């Protein structure tokens, strides 16, 4: 594992040390302060072949999954539940499409990658109490990894999260508060109480390591395609951490010379029409987003009315030649049923926003059927049985009625 050289601010480019736990940039004169990104000394890896480095790590490590990329992750003893190295499934119908099945992660979503690394580093630094505002799945993942690490987890999520998110967080022994509001209200509460309670805030992009865990999705999709870029990557965007993490991975892969020369993929940010601050800013040509009022969608992970990293996400989408687009909940539900019935995959609503967006961009000609695309199903549909049933108006026959 490489030593961290420094943390760099995304806005003012100040360099901070990673010797002690850091939150956001302390040098930014404008607010909100920039997020911090990890930079390593990779000099010993330049000129190496990824097959050798990653292949050797995968063959010799006691930990499976994303830790095959330990040579590009911080030097700390992992808190792992087997996250990462998820299936890359070729579609049965679309010749150019692969579905990246992040529902196979511990706790059923890609949030496992970010929280595995954030909790690993929290334990490394000796932090004892972690707090997170969440749309639901990050709370479940924090609760699981904190339990594995013997650290306290304090989770805040909206009252109407899918039932699985509440049940899992309670079962893992986290302190759970359900808030009558959105993730932005949860974030405010964490910010107000963290000092007094002695919590370390691991909100999206307010500490450097969740991005670092999620960057493994970028390494992984490139490795699974033979160390080559696809033409496009579709990502369901709430806070945008996965998209930012993958872009960081592409930068590092190029620095290391680990990816075959080629154009970086178009990054496609997908939201729901019920909460689409990034799409609106993209359409208006703005650098940042504005708070989305009355956010409502059954793709609960996308209910982020004002992402902290909006400027970074918009910059990446634009510079990659990608696009940001929003789909209605009706289109998302139709895509859930389409993929369940024709591919045997029960997608999360967030994942189905991406498959619906793919159909749309094929129909507009933005993409060709032969373009190689990776579609992220960021969570297992099984975490959403209550919300999917409600969207389908599906009522289960009562048990006693079916036995007579
Ligand atoms: C299943 C799922 N997909 C996508 C997202 C959005 O993730 P990000 O904040 O990285 O954009 C979330 C966030 O909660 C989620 O739970
Ligand atoms: Zn700064």
């Amino acid at each position: 594992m490489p030593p961290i050289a420094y943390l760099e601010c995304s806005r003012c480019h100040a360099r901070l040390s990673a010797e002690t736990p850091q939150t956001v940039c302390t040098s930014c004169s404008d607010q909100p302060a920039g997020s911090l990104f990890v930079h390593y000394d990779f000099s010993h890896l330049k000129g190496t072949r990824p097959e050798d480095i990653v292949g050797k790590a995968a063959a010799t490590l006691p930990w499976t999954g994303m830790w095959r990329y330990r040579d590009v992750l911080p030097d700390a003893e992992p808190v792992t539940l087997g996250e990462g190295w998820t299936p890359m499934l070729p579609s049965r119908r679309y010749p150019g499409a692969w579905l990246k099945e992040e529902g196979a992660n511990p706790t059923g979503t890609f949030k496992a990658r970010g929280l595995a690394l954030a909790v690993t580093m929290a334990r490394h630094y000796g932090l004892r109490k972690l707090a997170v505002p969440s749309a639901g799945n990050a709370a479940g993942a924090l609760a699981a990894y904190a339990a594995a690490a013997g650290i306290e987890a304090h989770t805040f999520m909206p009252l109407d999260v899918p039932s699985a998110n509440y049940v899992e967080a309670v079962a893992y022994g986290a302190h759970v508060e359900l808030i009558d509001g959105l993730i932005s209200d949860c974030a405010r509460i964490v910010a107000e109480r963290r000092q007094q309670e002695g919590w370390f805030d691991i909100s999206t992009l307010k500490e450097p390591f969740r991005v670092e865990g999620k960057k493994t999705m970028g390494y992984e999709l490139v490795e699974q395609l033979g160390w080559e870029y696809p033409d496009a990557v579709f990502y369901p965007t709430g806070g945008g951490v996965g998209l930012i993490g993958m872009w960081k991975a592409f930068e590092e892969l190029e620095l290391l010379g680990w990816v075959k020369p080629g154009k970086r993929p178009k990054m496609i940010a997908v939201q729901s029409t019920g909460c689409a601050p990034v799409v609106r800013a993209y359409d208006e040509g703005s650098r940042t987003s504005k708070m989305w009022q009355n956010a409502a969608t059954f793709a609960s992970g996308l209910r982020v009315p004002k992402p902290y990293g909006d400027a970074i996400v918009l910059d990446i989408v634009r510079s990659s030649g990608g696009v940001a687009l929003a789909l209605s909940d009706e289109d998302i539900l139709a895509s859930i049923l389409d993929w369940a019935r024709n591919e045997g995959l029960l997608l999360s609503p967030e994942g189905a926003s991406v498959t619906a967006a793919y159909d749309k961009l094929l129909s507009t000609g933005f993409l060709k059927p032969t373009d190689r695309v990776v579609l992220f199903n960021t969570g297992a549909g099984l975490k959403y049985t209550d919300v999917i049933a409600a969207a389908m108006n599906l009522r289960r026959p009562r048990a006693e009625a079916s036995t007579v």
Side-chain angles (χ1 to χ4, degrees), residues 47 91 97 111 152 158 175 198 221 232 237 264 301 330-331 342:
S91 163
K111 295 279 172 186
E152 266 180 42
H175 298 262
L221 75 89
T237 304
R264 277 196 206 174
E330 291 71 39
D331 286 343
N342 295 301

Side-chain angles (χ1 to χ4, degrees), residues 335-359:
S335 206
I336 289 180
L337 298 178
D338 178 40
W339 278 70
R341 289 164 190 186
N342 295 301
E343 306 258 356
L345 295 168
L346 183 58
L347 307 180
S348 58
E350 295 84 349
S353 73
V354 149
T355 49
Y358 179 47
D359 283 337

